[in-house]
Structure formats: C-alpha cells, structure tokens
C-alpha cells in the first residue's frame, strides 16, 4: 500500500487513521487527485473554502501545502476522518491553525467562496449536505464535487440541481469526474428526520440521514436482539451503536446497567442520544449518568475507568466504498482490553465473515450462541490470569502476546494477522 501522494507537483505522505490498522487501504483515491489537478490547472486562488467528506485529509493537506494559510472549514461526520485529517497535516508538517472543524449538523458559516466535496455513498446524506449548503452559499458560489465516474449519473446531477443549483460533469480522468455546480442562492429546508417503530420491543427509532439502517431494523441487529446474552450486567458498551438499538434494548433487559454508546458517525451518536430520550430509558433510583455517548474511533478514547461486563457489537465490514475487516479486528481487540475479567463480547456477523477465527485468536475462546442461514451470533469471554490487564505499560504488550502467541505469522500485529 502506498502512502506517497504525488499529483500536479504536490508531494505528500498520507495514511489512513489509525495509522497502524490491519489493512492495505490507501488514504486517498483518484477522485481526490482529479479535484486537486483541476484546482491547479484552473489556478484557483486561496479563497475561503469548505472541504466536505475529505476521507482522511488528502484535500485539506493539499490546499495547505499549496498555501499554508489557505482559509479552510472542514466538514465530516466521521471521527476517523477528522483524526486522519489532523494526523496527515502533522505528518507533513502542515499547520492546522485556523481550520474550522464542523460536523454535518453544525451550521455552516456564511462567508464560504468555494466548496470542494467528495460524493458520499449515501445519497440521502448527500441531499442533506446540499440543503445545508443551500442555506449558507451566496448565489453563484462554485461547488466542485468529485467521484468515480460510475457513481455519477443523470439522477445525481438532478439531485444536485434540485437541492443546490445547476450542475454539469467533466470528462472522465482515471475513471473519475468532477461535477461543477453553481449555487442558485435559494435556501432549502433540511429533510425531515426518519422515525420508525420496533413494535416487538416497544421502541421508537429516529435516524439522522447518515446513520446505518435508515428506515428499518437491520436483519443482523434483529437476530442479535432475539438472542441477547443473559447475566447480571452493570456496565455495557454498544460498540458501533448506529441509532443505538442494541444498547436501548440492553437497558430494557438490564435496567440496573449503565450503557455507553460509541460510534464513528456523529449523526449516529446524536440519533442514539435522541432515541435514549425518546424512549425514556433512565431507571429511577440509579445515581449519575446512565448513558454516555461517545463520538470515537472504536474505544480509542474511552475513559479507562469504564470497565464493561458486556460489549454488544454488530461490526461494519466496509469503510466508505472499501470492504474491510480491520474495524472488526480493532473493535474485538479493544473490547478485550476494556472488558472486566469474566466480561463478555457478544457479536453478530454475516456467517461468511468468519469472526469466530478472530475472536478465538484474541480471547482464546468463542461460542456460537445462535445462527441462521446468513448470520451467526458469537460470544467470547475475557479470561485473564491478571485481574487488571490494563495497567498502562503492560497493556499493549499483553494484547500483542495474546494475539501473536496463537498466530506466529510474520505480519502479526496489534490487530491480528493479515489474511
Ligand atoms: C453494522 S452497523 C451497526 C449499527 C447498529 N449497532 C445496529 O446493529 O443496527 C456498524 C456501525 O459501526 C460504526 N462504525 C464504523 N466504523 C467505526 C469505528 N471506527 N468506530 C466506531 N464505530 C464505527 C458505523 O458508523 C455503524 O453505525
């Protein structure tokens, strides 16, 4: 996997976040290169620019390397993208000073003169982003949107026309195109939030536009909900919580438990928060906050004081357009680290993903709780000779030993072994 970015005379070292992940994925794609090439060829001046959906900061780093003080605001829903952006600026000794960082719900400032955007996979979320722009951009502002050519069709151009202003696509270069849209200055209302019921659990679910399972229960989550673990759980993490469905139901089953919702998507965290309030899940008589909501890359920044006895996890198997199992690896390993001794990781996954191999390597045990033709529910228990395996310096070493002992492969690392 290359980390050397080289386009139109700009040379950068770019990595995904986290840097030490078990994947061969590159931090940028040809659509990033096309956009930068276009800016250089058109001799774009460093005006106030909004960068939207910049996966790991390739666009931000390029602009800051062209002009170190290029005025920027950067919008992303993904914490890994925000952290990747900061990581890549630092690696290339570029300043992040003055950059305004926004999630996809915070109001955009009014003085934007140029927008650079990557087309997201989720077109409902894209429409939401265009509507936000329509509320902030003066008439005539140029919005450049880059994507794989195969993702750009008549309906995408019509969607842009309807939600922001007229648009046309460039010729194809390296199988990508750049769409130029000129904002028409008409402000649009944001789309209404979607709300749906899970009658069998007596839960109401609200989903913001970039949240997994947009308008119905995911079939993996459904089998997980039918096969929740039994026990007297007091501290539960819903890891990769999406709208929070697993953690919400856990609170119904274990009213004495504190629930920690974590997701890479800021909109997911906001949805889980709204759903917690909507379903009135606080238990009378419990002291302190009964739920926390963390916008994070897995458990990377989870307080060390949180020592769950149960982690619920329906892991993602893609990141953006890339199919990958590195996030599942990271989730399983970080769960092992965080769990109390005797604590349980309860996982649902597509049968073909073979998560049992990963769990067996990390936990040294794995039980199949339930399965159907497509999905399997797996459970692994943390059994450690040491009561507190997480004491600072021993932690990493211990986790490495746990993984590498069972798999003496040259490429073994913190996150397991490459396939
Ligand atoms: C398959 S969905 C499961 C959502 C929900 N738990 C359910 O069962 O319906 C996986 C979730 O993991 C989240 N995710 C992806 N990468 C992540 C990361 N690095 N850290 C935390 N969450 C992540 C996604 O945003 C998504 O909400």
């Amino acid at each position: 996997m290359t980390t050397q970015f080289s386009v139109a005379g700009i040379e950068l070292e770019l990595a995904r976040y986290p840097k030490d992940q078990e994947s061969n994925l590159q931090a940028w794609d040809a659509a990033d290169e096309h956009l930068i090439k276009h800016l250089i060829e058109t001799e774009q001046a460093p005006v106030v620019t909004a960068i939207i959906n910049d996966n790991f900061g390739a666009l931000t780093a390029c602009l800051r390397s062209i002009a170190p003080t290029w005025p920027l605001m950067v919008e992303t829903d993904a914490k890994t993208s925000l952290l990747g952006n900061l990581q890549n600026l630092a690696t290339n000794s570029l300043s992040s000073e003055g950059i305004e960082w926004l999630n996809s719900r915070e109001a955009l400032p009014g003085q934007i003169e140029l927008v650079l955007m990557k087309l997201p996979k989720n077109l409902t979320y894209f429409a939401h982003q265009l509507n936000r722009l329509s509320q902030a951009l003066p008439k005539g502002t140029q919005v450049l949107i880059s994507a794989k050519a195969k993702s750009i069709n008549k309906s995408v151009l019509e969607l842009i026309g309807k939600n922001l202003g007229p648009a046309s696509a460039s010729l194809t270069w390296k199988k990508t195109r750049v769409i130029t849209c000129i904002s028409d200055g008409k402000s649009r209302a944001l789309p209404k939030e979607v709300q749906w019921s899970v009658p069998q659990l007596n839960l109401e679910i609200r989903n913001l536009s970039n949240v997994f399972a947009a308008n119905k229960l995911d079939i993996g989550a459904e089998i997980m909900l039918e096969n929740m673990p039994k026990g007297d759980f007091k501290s539960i993490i819903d890891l990769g919580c999406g709208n929070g469905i697993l953690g919400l139901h856990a609170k119904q089953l274990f009213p004495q438990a504190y629930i920690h919702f974590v997701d890479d998507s800021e909109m997911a965290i906001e949805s889980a928060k709204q759903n917690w309030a909507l379903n009135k899940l606080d238990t009378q008589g419990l002291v302190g906050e009964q739920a926390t909501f963390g916008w994070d890359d897995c458990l990377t920044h989870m307080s060390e004081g949180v020592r769950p006895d149960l982690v619920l996890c329906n892991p993602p198997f893609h990141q953006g357009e890339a199919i990958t199992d590195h996030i599942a690896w990271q989730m399983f390993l970080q769960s092992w680290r965080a769990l109390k001794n005797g604590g349980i990781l309860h996982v649902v996954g597509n049968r073909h993903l073979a998560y049992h191999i990963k769990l067996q390597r990390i936990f040294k045990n794995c039980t199949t709780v339930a399965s159907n033709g497509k999905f399997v529910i797996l459970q692994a228990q943390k059994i450690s000779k040491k009561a507190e395996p997480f004491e600072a310096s021993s932690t990493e070493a211990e986790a490495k030993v746990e993984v590498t002992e069972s798999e003496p492969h040259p490429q073994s690392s913190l996150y397991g072994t490459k396939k």
Side-chain angles (χ1 to χ4, degrees):
M1 181 240 335
T2 179
T3 54
Q4 298 301 316
F5 175 95
S6 174
V7 173
I10 302 172
E11 306 281 334
L12 294 168
E13 166 87 21
L14 299 174
R16 287 199 168 216
Y17 184 93
K19 229 178 198 167
D20 60 353
Q21 65 183 238
E22 272 304 306
S23 86
N24 285 322
L25 299 170
Q26 200 176 274
W28 74 96
D29 58 21
D32 290 309
E33 295 180 4
H34 196 165
L35 205 42
I36 294 304
K37 182 170 132 353
H38 177 90
L39 291 183
I40 302 281
E41 284 172 1
T42 55
E43 298 179 4
Q44 176 63 52
V47 297
V48 179
T49 303
I51 299 181
I52 302 181
N53 308 331
D54 185 10
N55 290 347
F56 295 96
L59 300 174
T60 310
C62 278
L63 265 52
R64 278 284 162 118
S65 84
I66 295 169
T69 56
W70 193 310
L72 296 178
M73 52 205 68
V74 176
E75 176 193 318
T76 178
D77 182 52
K79 193 60 173 258
T80 42
S81 159
L82 171 54
L83 295 172
N85 224 304
L86 289 167
Q87 166 188 280
N88 285 318
L89 286 171
T91 305
N92 293 284
S93 307
L94 297 167
S95 169
S96 59
E97 212 180 303
I99 298 181
E100 196 172 341
W101 304 96
L102 300 165
N103 63 45
S104 294
R105 295 182 309 109
E106 288 165 320
L108 288 160
Q111 73 277 22
I112 299 168
E113 295 171 279
L114 173 69
V115 178
L116 306 182
M117 193 169 187
K118 295 288 293 295
L119 181 72
K121 211 169 75 176
N122 174 347
L123 293 183
T124 311
Y125 173 50
F126 182 48
H128 164 95
Q129 293 186 306
L130 294 173
N131 289 160
R132 277 163 52 72
L133 285 169
S134 81
Q135 297 176 350
L137 298 185
K139 186 174 176 180
T141 311
Q142 184 172 235
V143 179
L144 301 171
I145 305 162
S146 71
K148 283 189 180 143
K150 67 176 185 194
S151 309
I152 299 174
N153 51 36
K154 197 165 156 245
S155 55
V156 167
L157 294 177
E158 281 171 2
L159 182 82
I160 300 170
K162 184 172 158 229
N163 291 289
L164 188 59
S168 60
S170 72
L171 294 175
T172 303
W173 178 81
K174 282 196 177 182
K175 297 186 181 169
T176 66
R177 288 177 194 262
V178 173
I179 298 170
T180 301
C181 163
I182 304 296
S183 72
D184 59 18
K186 293 180 200 151
S187 175
R188 277 87 166 170
L190 296 183
K192 281 215 174 93
E193 283 165 14
V194 179
Q195 189 168 325
W196 40 276
S197 306
V198 188
Q200 65 274 33
L201 303 180
N202 198 20
L203 287 172
E204 282 296 310
I205 297 296
R206 207 173 270 171
N207 257 42
L208 298 178
S209 64
N210 201 28
V211 183
F212 179 78
N215 48 21
K216 62 174 175 16
L217 194 55
D218 168 57
I219 44 175
E222 191 170 5
I223 159 165
M224 180 82 142
L225 292 164
E226 287 162 3
N227 293 281
M228 291 289 270
K230 295 189 175 46
D232 181 22
F233 304 110
K234 295 285 190 308
S235 174
I236 299 173
I237 295 180
D238 181 351
L239 180 51
C241 63
N243 52 41
I245 185 76
L246 302 179
L248 300 178
H249 186 46
K251 183 66 176 172
Q252 291 177 318
L253 294 175
F254 313 109
Q256 297 307 308
Y258 289 78
I259 317 283
H260 304 278
F261 296 87
V262 180
D263 204 287
D264 186 43
S265 156
E266 196 279 335
M267 284 193 175
I269 284 303
E270 176 59 22
S271 293
K273 205 184 277 179
Q274 289 185 14
N275 290 329
W276 180 271
L278 187 65
N279 291 284
K280 301 189 173 48
L281 284 165
D282 279 322
T283 305
Q284 292 290 314
L286 278 191
V287 183
E289 255 186 332
Q290 295 179 32
T292 63
F293 301 88
W295 185 34
D296 198 2
D297 172 34
C298 302
L299 300 179
T300 304
H301 303 98
M302 172 69 82
S303 152
E304 289 200 11
V306 176
R307 302 296 308 275
D309 40 28
L310 175 63
V311 177
L312 299 169
C313 187
N314 178 3
F317 54 91
H318 60 81
Q319 188 172 47
E321 303 206 346
I323 307 268
T324 175
D325 65 356
H326 79 273
I327 303 169
W329 264 123
Q330 186 180 340
M331 287 181 163
F332 299 166
L333 186 67
Q334 292 187 336
S335 294
W336 180 86
R337 290 188 190 158
L339 278 163
K340 270 185 191 143
N341 202 14
I344 284 169
L345 170 61
H346 199 76
V347 173
V348 61
N350 271 357
R351 190 182 277 279
H352 75 268
L353 294 169
Y355 287 150
H356 63 282
I357 297 174
K358 295 178 173 49
L359 293 173
Q360 184 67 40
R361 273 189 205 152
I362 296 171
F363 286 78
K364 303 288 192 293
N365 67 82
C366 178
T367 312
T368 301
V369 173
S371 67
N372 62 18
K374 200 165 176 208
F375 290 98
V376 55
I377 306 278
L378 302 168
Q379 207 177 78
Q381 187 175 28
K382 176 166 179 175
I383 303 163
S384 170
K385 287 177 204 112
K386 275 173 88 180
E388 289 292 326
F390 266 89
E391 293 311 344
S393 58
S394 68
T395 305
E396 295 274 315
E398 186 165 353
K400 275 183 183 149
V401 170
E402 284 287 321
V403 175
T404 53
E405 261 179 6
S406 59
E407 185 61 28
H409 188 284
Q411 284 174 309
S412 283
S413 79
L414 195 57
Y415 299 122
T417 306
K418 284 181 183 155
K419 288 175 293 182

Short mmCIF file of all heavy atoms in Angstrom, two decimals, residues 378-409:
data_model
loop_
_atom_site.label_atom_id
_atom_site.label_comp_id
_atom_site.label_asym_id
_atom_site.label_seq_id
_atom_site.Cartn_x
_atom_site.Cartn_y
_atom_site.Cartn_z
N LEU A 378 -22.03 -14.74 18.04
CA LEU A 378 -20.88 -15.34 18.71
C LEU A 378 -20.63 -14.64 20.05
O LEU A 378 -20.92 -13.44 20.20
CB LEU A 378 -19.63 -15.16 17.84
CG LEU A 378 -19.70 -15.76 16.43
CD1 LEU A 378 -18.55 -15.27 15.57
CD2 LEU A 378 -19.69 -17.29 16.51
N GLN A 379 -20.08 -15.42 20.96
CA GLN A 379 -19.77 -14.85 22.26
C GLN A 379 -18.36 -15.26 22.67
O GLN A 379 -18.00 -16.44 22.52
CB GLN A 379 -20.77 -15.39 23.27
CG GLN A 379 -20.99 -14.44 24.41
CD GLN A 379 -22.05 -14.95 25.37
OE1 GLN A 379 -21.75 -15.82 26.17
NE2 GLN A 379 -23.24 -14.41 25.29
N ALA A 380 -17.60 -14.30 23.16
CA ALA A 380 -16.26 -14.61 23.66
C ALA A 380 -16.14 -14.00 25.05
O ALA A 380 -16.65 -12.91 25.30
CB ALA A 380 -15.19 -14.04 22.74
N GLN A 381 -15.48 -14.72 25.94
CA GLN A 381 -15.36 -14.24 27.32
C GLN A 381 -13.91 -13.90 27.62
O GLN A 381 -13.00 -14.64 27.23
CB GLN A 381 -15.85 -15.32 28.28
CG GLN A 381 -15.91 -14.81 29.71
CD GLN A 381 -16.52 -15.82 30.65
OE1 GLN A 381 -16.42 -17.03 30.40
NE2 GLN A 381 -17.13 -15.35 31.71
N LYS A 382 -13.74 -12.80 28.32
CA LYS A 382 -12.37 -12.43 28.70
C LYS A 382 -11.94 -13.24 29.91
O LYS A 382 -12.54 -13.14 30.97
CB LYS A 382 -12.29 -10.95 29.03
CG LYS A 382 -10.91 -10.55 29.51
CD LYS A 382 -10.78 -9.08 29.50
CE LYS A 382 -9.44 -8.65 29.99
NZ LYS A 382 -9.28 -7.22 29.88
N ILE A 383 -10.95 -14.06 29.69
CA ILE A 383 -10.43 -14.85 30.81
C ILE A 383 -8.95 -14.52 30.91
O ILE A 383 -8.18 -14.85 30.02
CB ILE A 383 -10.62 -16.36 30.58
CG1 ILE A 383 -12.10 -16.65 30.34
CG2 ILE A 383 -10.07 -17.17 31.75
CD1 ILE A 383 -12.37 -17.99 29.71
N SER A 384 -8.63 -13.77 31.94
CA SER A 384 -7.24 -13.34 32.06
C SER A 384 -6.74 -13.74 33.42
O SER A 384 -7.46 -13.65 34.41
CB SER A 384 -7.18 -11.82 31.89
OG SER A 384 -5.91 -11.38 32.21
N LYS A 385 -5.49 -14.17 33.46
CA LYS A 385 -4.93 -14.55 34.76
C LYS A 385 -4.77 -13.32 35.62
O LYS A 385 -4.91 -13.34 36.81
CB LYS A 385 -3.59 -15.24 34.56
CG LYS A 385 -3.76 -16.64 34.00
CD LYS A 385 -2.43 -17.31 33.74
CE LYS A 385 -2.61 -18.38 32.69
NZ LYS A 385 -1.95 -18.06 31.43
N LYS A 386 -4.48 -12.20 34.98
CA LYS A 386 -4.30 -10.96 35.75
C LYS A 386 -5.65 -10.29 35.94
O LYS A 386 -6.45 -10.22 35.01
CB LYS A 386 -3.39 -10.00 34.98
CG LYS A 386 -1.93 -10.27 35.22
CD LYS A 386 -1.10 -9.42 34.32
CE LYS A 386 -0.81 -8.07 34.94
NZ LYS A 386 -0.01 -7.22 34.09
N ALA A 387 -5.88 -9.76 37.14
CA ALA A 387 -7.16 -9.09 37.40
C ALA A 387 -7.26 -7.79 36.62
O ALA A 387 -8.30 -7.44 36.12
CB ALA A 387 -7.32 -8.82 38.88
N GLU A 388 -6.14 -7.08 36.49
CA GLU A 388 -6.16 -5.77 35.82
C GLU A 388 -5.18 -5.77 34.67
O GLU A 388 -4.09 -5.22 34.78
CB GLU A 388 -5.80 -4.65 36.82
CG GLU A 388 -6.87 -4.38 37.85
CD GLU A 388 -8.12 -3.77 37.23
OE1 GLU A 388 -8.00 -3.01 36.26
OE2 GLU A 388 -9.22 -4.09 37.72
N PRO A 389 -5.49 -6.38 33.57
CA PRO A 389 -4.52 -6.47 32.48
C PRO A 389 -4.30 -5.13 31.80
O PRO A 389 -3.51 -5.04 30.89
CB PRO A 389 -5.15 -7.47 31.52
CG PRO A 389 -6.60 -7.34 31.77
CD PRO A 389 -6.77 -6.96 33.20
N PHE A 390 -5.00 -4.13 32.23
CA PHE A 390 -4.90 -2.86 31.54
C PHE A 390 -3.99 -1.84 32.14
O PHE A 390 -3.98 -0.71 31.73
CB PHE A 390 -6.30 -2.27 31.34
CG PHE A 390 -6.75 -2.70 30.03
CD1 PHE A 390 -7.42 -3.89 29.91
CD2 PHE A 390 -6.37 -2.03 28.90
CE1 PHE A 390 -7.76 -4.37 28.67
CE2 PHE A 390 -6.70 -2.50 27.66
CZ PHE A 390 -7.40 -3.67 27.55
N GLU A 391 -3.24 -2.23 33.15
CA GLU A 391 -2.33 -1.27 33.75
C GLU A 391 -1.38 -0.78 32.67
O GLU A 391 -0.65 -1.54 32.05
CB GLU A 391 -1.53 -1.89 34.91
CG GLU A 391 -2.38 -2.25 36.12
CD GLU A 391 -3.30 -1.13 36.59
OE1 GLU A 391 -3.11 0.03 36.20
OE2 GLU A 391 -4.24 -1.41 37.33
N ALA A 392 -1.45 0.52 32.47
CA ALA A 392 -0.75 1.25 31.41
C ALA A 392 0.27 0.45 30.59
O ALA A 392 -0.05 -0.10 29.56
CB ALA A 392 -0.13 2.48 32.02
N SER A 393 1.51 0.34 31.07
CA SER A 393 2.57 -0.13 30.18
C SER A 393 2.41 -1.61 29.79
O SER A 393 2.86 -2.02 28.74
CB SER A 393 3.93 0.10 30.83
OG SER A 393 3.94 -0.57 32.05
N SER A 394 1.79 -2.41 30.64
CA SER A 394 1.71 -3.83 30.32
C SER A 394 0.64 -4.11 29.26
O SER A 394 0.66 -5.14 28.61
CB SER A 394 1.38 -4.64 31.57
OG SER A 394 0.08 -4.33 32.00
N THR A 395 -0.28 -3.17 29.09
CA THR A 395 -1.45 -3.41 28.26
C THR A 395 -1.13 -3.81 26.83
O THR A 395 -1.54 -4.86 26.37
CB THR A 395 -2.31 -2.13 28.21
OG1 THR A 395 -2.57 -1.78 29.54
CG2 THR A 395 -3.59 -2.36 27.47
N GLU A 396 -0.38 -2.97 26.14
CA GLU A 396 -0.09 -3.21 24.73
C GLU A 396 0.67 -4.52 24.57
O GLU A 396 0.34 -5.35 23.74
CB GLU A 396 0.78 -2.08 24.16
CG GLU A 396 0.10 -0.75 24.14
CD GLU A 396 -0.72 -0.60 22.88
OE1 GLU A 396 -0.23 -0.93 21.80
OE2 GLU A 396 -1.87 -0.16 23.00
N ALA A 397 1.67 -4.69 25.43
CA ALA A 397 2.49 -5.88 25.32
C ALA A 397 1.64 -7.12 25.52
O ALA A 397 1.74 -8.09 24.77
CB ALA A 397 3.60 -5.83 26.37
N GLU A 398 0.76 -7.06 26.51
CA GLU A 398 -0.06 -8.23 26.80
C GLU A 398 -0.99 -8.55 25.64
O GLU A 398 -1.12 -9.70 25.24
CB GLU A 398 -0.88 -7.97 28.06
CG GLU A 398 -1.62 -9.20 28.47
CD GLU A 398 -2.13 -9.09 29.89
OE1 GLU A 398 -1.78 -8.11 30.56
OE2 GLU A 398 -2.87 -9.97 30.29
N ALA A 399 -1.59 -7.50 25.08
CA ALA A 399 -2.50 -7.72 23.96
C ALA A 399 -1.74 -8.34 22.79
O ALA A 399 -2.21 -9.25 22.14
CB ALA A 399 -3.14 -6.42 23.54
N LYS A 400 -0.53 -7.86 22.56
CA LYS A 400 0.27 -8.39 21.44
C LYS A 400 0.55 -9.87 21.68
O LYS A 400 0.41 -10.68 20.79
CB LYS A 400 1.58 -7.63 21.31
CG LYS A 400 1.42 -6.38 20.49
CD LYS A 400 2.75 -5.69 20.32
CE LYS A 400 2.56 -4.40 19.56
NZ LYS A 400 3.50 -3.39 19.91
N VAL A 401 0.93 -10.20 22.91
CA VAL A 401 1.24 -11.59 23.20
C VAL A 401 0.00 -12.44 22.97
O VAL A 401 0.05 -13.46 22.30
CB VAL A 401 1.74 -11.74 24.65
CG1 VAL A 401 1.83 -13.20 25.03
CG2 VAL A 401 3.11 -11.09 24.78
N GLU A 402 -1.16 -11.95 23.44
CA GLU A 402 -2.39 -12.72 23.28
C GLU A 402 -2.63 -13.05 21.81
O GLU A 402 -3.04 -14.13 21.48
CB GLU A 402 -3.60 -11.92 23.79
CG GLU A 402 -3.71 -11.87 25.29
CD GLU A 402 -4.17 -13.21 25.85
OE1 GLU A 402 -5.03 -13.85 25.24
OE2 GLU A 402 -3.62 -13.61 26.88
N VAL A 403 -2.37 -12.09 20.95
CA VAL A 403 -2.66 -12.29 19.54
C VAL A 403 -1.57 -13.11 18.87
O VAL A 403 -1.85 -14.10 18.22
CB VAL A 403 -2.81 -10.92 18.82
CG1 VAL A 403 -2.99 -11.14 17.34
CG2 VAL A 403 -3.99 -10.18 19.40
N THR A 404 -0.33 -12.71 19.10
CA THR A 404 0.73 -13.34 18.32
C THR A 404 1.03 -14.75 18.79
O THR A 404 1.41 -15.59 18.00
CB THR A 404 2.03 -12.50 18.36
OG1 THR A 404 2.32 -12.27 19.72
CG2 THR A 404 1.86 -11.19 17.64
N GLU A 405 0.81 -15.04 20.05
CA GLU A 405 1.08 -16.40 20.54
C GLU A 405 0.33 -17.44 19.71
O GLU A 405 0.87 -18.46 19.36
CB GLU A 405 0.60 -16.51 21.98
CG GLU A 405 1.72 -16.35 22.98
CD GLU A 405 1.18 -16.45 24.38
OE1 GLU A 405 -0.02 -16.75 24.55
OE2 GLU A 405 1.97 -16.22 25.29
N SER A 406 -0.95 -17.12 19.41
CA SER A 406 -1.75 -18.11 18.72
C SER A 406 -1.52 -18.06 17.22
O SER A 406 -1.95 -18.94 16.50
CB SER A 406 -3.23 -17.90 19.01
OG SER A 406 -3.58 -16.61 18.61
N GLU A 407 -0.91 -17.03 16.74
CA GLU A 407 -0.74 -16.90 15.29
C GLU A 407 0.66 -16.38 14.99
O GLU A 407 0.87 -15.19 14.80
CB GLU A 407 -1.79 -15.91 14.76
CG GLU A 407 -1.82 -15.77 13.26
CD GLU A 407 -2.13 -17.05 12.54
OE1 GLU A 407 -2.82 -17.92 13.09
OE2 GLU A 407 -1.68 -17.17 11.40
N PRO A 408 1.66 -17.24 15.00
CA PRO A 408 3.03 -16.77 14.83
C PRO A 408 3.34 -16.44 13.38
O PRO A 408 4.09 -17.12 12.70
CB PRO A 408 3.86 -17.95 15.34
CG PRO A 408 3.00 -19.14 15.09
CD PRO A 408 1.58 -18.70 15.13
N HIS A 409 2.67 -15.44 12.89
CA HIS A 409 2.75 -15.05 11.49
C HIS A 409 3.63 -13.81 11.40
O HIS A 409 3.55 -12.95 12.26
CB HIS A 409 1.33 -14.74 11.02
CG HIS A 409 1.20 -14.50 9.56
ND1 HIS A 409 1.61 -13.34 8.96
CD2 HIS A 409 0.69 -15.28 8.58
CE1 HIS A 409 1.36 -13.42 7.67
NE2 HIS A 409 0.81 -14.57 7.41
#
